[in-house]
């Protein structure tokens, strides 16, 4: 995380310096090779892994806190036709996605670790969840240029998660072992039990991306993109959590168009 912050800071300083130079020198043409445009970008992701729709097991969301989710990457674009209104953009980026939530649940599938023993069943009470994922993402999208400043993109992406965590703890409630009529284990006051589903996270994910890019100055871009995962963050063989969780994030940031 410290390395990502360092890279993002350096990129921000470099973009500011280049933009200032571009403004001083006047309007500059974009750098192209074989008709391809190149850009680098950085930003932050705001969102979380969410069930769609909210299942009956989750009775109330007590709190939500997004992590500092950084993103850095590059895109290459090819404009088509004489008017160059439509084109294709491919990219690659490194990014983190994460969140912390507290919720009140009922009959929520859970596997707990309590003083060396494993308890599996249905939890009713409160739960804190921590999710973090570091990914390599490759989007391939169609792009449309409204004018010389504003363009939009939409299309699929694929991602590989090379590191991920999904863990937390439960408190102020009880677990029914096996099913809602099983043996009851109560956790009250300061009593807590932890869980860790990190090994069950899916490495390959895919979804859709859509957004806009505004050319604020000669080369400086302001970007906003929504990514919506279309497969569960957990492996299909993982059945403890009985509903799917989809990563849905809004990325806002800036870029430099060469």
């Amino acid at each position: 995380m410290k390395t990502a912050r360092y890279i993002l800071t350096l990129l921000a300083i470099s973009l500011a310096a280049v933009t200032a130079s571009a403004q001083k020198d006047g309007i500059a043409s974009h750098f192209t090779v074989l008709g391809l445009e190149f850009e680098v970008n950085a930003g932050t992701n705001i969102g979380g892994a969410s069930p769609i729709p909210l299942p009956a097991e989750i009775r109330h969301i007590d709190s939500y806190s997004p992590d500092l989710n950084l993103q850095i990457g590059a895109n290459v674009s090819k404009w088509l036709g004489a008017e160059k209104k439509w084109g294709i953009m491919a990219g690659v980026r490194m990014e983190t996605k994460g969140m912390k939530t507290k919720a009140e649940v009922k009959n929520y599938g859970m596997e707990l670790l309590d003083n060396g023993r494993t308890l599996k069943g249905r939890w009713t009470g409160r739960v804190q969840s921590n999710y973090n994922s570091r990914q390599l993402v490759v989007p391939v999208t169609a792009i449309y240029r409204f004018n010389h400043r504003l363009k939009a993109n939409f299309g699929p992406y694929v991602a590989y998660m090379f590191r991920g965590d999904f863990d937390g703890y439960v408190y102020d409630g009880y677990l029914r072992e096996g099913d809602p009529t099983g043996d009851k284990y109560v956790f009250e006051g300061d009593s807590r039990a932890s869980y860790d589903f990190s090994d069950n996270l899916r490495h390959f994910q895919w979804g859709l991306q859509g957004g806009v890019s505004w050319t604020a100055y000669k080369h400086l871009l302001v970007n906003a993109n929504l990514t919506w995962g279309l497969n569960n963050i957990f492996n299909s063989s993982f059945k403890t959590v009985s509903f799917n969780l989809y990563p849905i994030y809004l990325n806002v940031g800036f870029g430099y168009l060469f």
Side-chain angles (χ1 to χ4, degrees):
M1 182 65 71
K2 290 183 178 180
T3 302
R5 292 179 185 176
Y6 178 72
I7 294 173
L8 185 58
T9 301
L10 286 180
L11 182 58
I13 294 173
S14 300
L15 288 176
V18 173
T19 301
S21 175
Q23 288 180 285
K24 180 179 178 181
D25 294 340
I27 297 175
S29 60
H30 296 152
F31 173 75
T32 61
V33 175
L34 300 177
L36 302 175
E37 288 184 353
F38 301 87
E39 65 182 77
V40 293
N41 51 73
T44 183
N45 291 312
I46 303 171
S50 174
I52 303 294
L54 200 67
E57 292 93 328
I58 300 178
R59 296 305 176 93
H60 184 263
I61 303 296
D62 295 331
S63 67
Y64 159 78
S65 175
D67 291 338
L68 179 60
N69 302 310
L70 302 180
Q71 169 262 317
I72 185 170
N75 295 321
V76 57
S77 301
K78 174 66 176 180
W79 294 101
L80 306 175
E83 295 184 354
K84 296 185 177 181
K85 286 285 188 180
W86 288 94
I88 300 173
M89 181 173 68
V92 61
R93 61 179 181 262
M94 299 286 293
E95 66 181 21
T96 58
K97 293 179 176 179
M99 65 172 187
K100 293 180 175 66
T101 62
K102 289 185 178 181
E104 182 179 352
V105 301
K106 184 175 182 179
N107 293 331
Y108 184 89
M110 183 57 67
E111 185 172 340
L112 303 176
L113 183 62
D114 178 48
N115 295 321
R117 63 177 176 173
T118 300
L119 300 174
K120 186 174 182 179
R122 297 290 176 173
W123 170 259
T124 297
R126 286 181 162 79
V127 56
Q128 171 161 323
S129 299
N130 310 311
Y131 171 60
N132 182 269
S133 175
R134 300 183 182 183
Q135 302 180 349
L136 176 68
V137 184
V138 178
V140 179
T141 62
I143 47 178
Y144 179 78
R145 180 151 42 198
F146 295 96
N147 52 51
H148 71 286
R149 287 187 178 273
L150 181 64
K151 62 182 178 183
N153 75 90
F154 181 79
Y157 73 84
V158 293
Y160 177 77
M161 184 200 73
F162 54 88
R163 181 176 177 179
D165 300 288
F166 195 104
D167 54 26
Y169 59 86
V170 298
Y171 61 104
D172 193 18
Y174 60 89
L175 180 88
R176 289 284 189 179
E177 191 171 23
D179 58 50
T181 63
D183 292 340
K184 186 176 183 180
Y185 296 87
V186 179
F187 297 84
E188 293 179 333
D190 296 331
S191 180
R192 296 179 176 181
S194 64
Y195 68 91
D196 191 341
F197 301 152
S198 301
D199 291 340
N200 302 109
L201 289 172
R202 184 190 302 271
H203 285 283
F204 287 97
Q205 299 178 11
W206 66 282
L208 294 174
Q209 169 183 311
V212 295
S213 180
W214 173 262
T215 306
Y217 297 103
K218 281 79 176 177
H219 295 274
L220 182 64
L221 305 174
V222 179
N223 304 317
N225 288 284
L226 178 67
T227 60
W228 193 298
L230 295 179
N231 59 347
N232 188 10
I233 64 171
F234 291 115
N235 294 320
S236 58
S237 59
F238 180 65
K239 303 300 183 183
T240 300
V241 177
S242 58
F243 47 82
N244 292 343
L245 292 172
Y246 301 99
I248 304 169
Y249 282 84
L250 174 66
N251 175 273
V252 291
F254 54 89
Y256 181 79
L257 179 62
F258 290 92

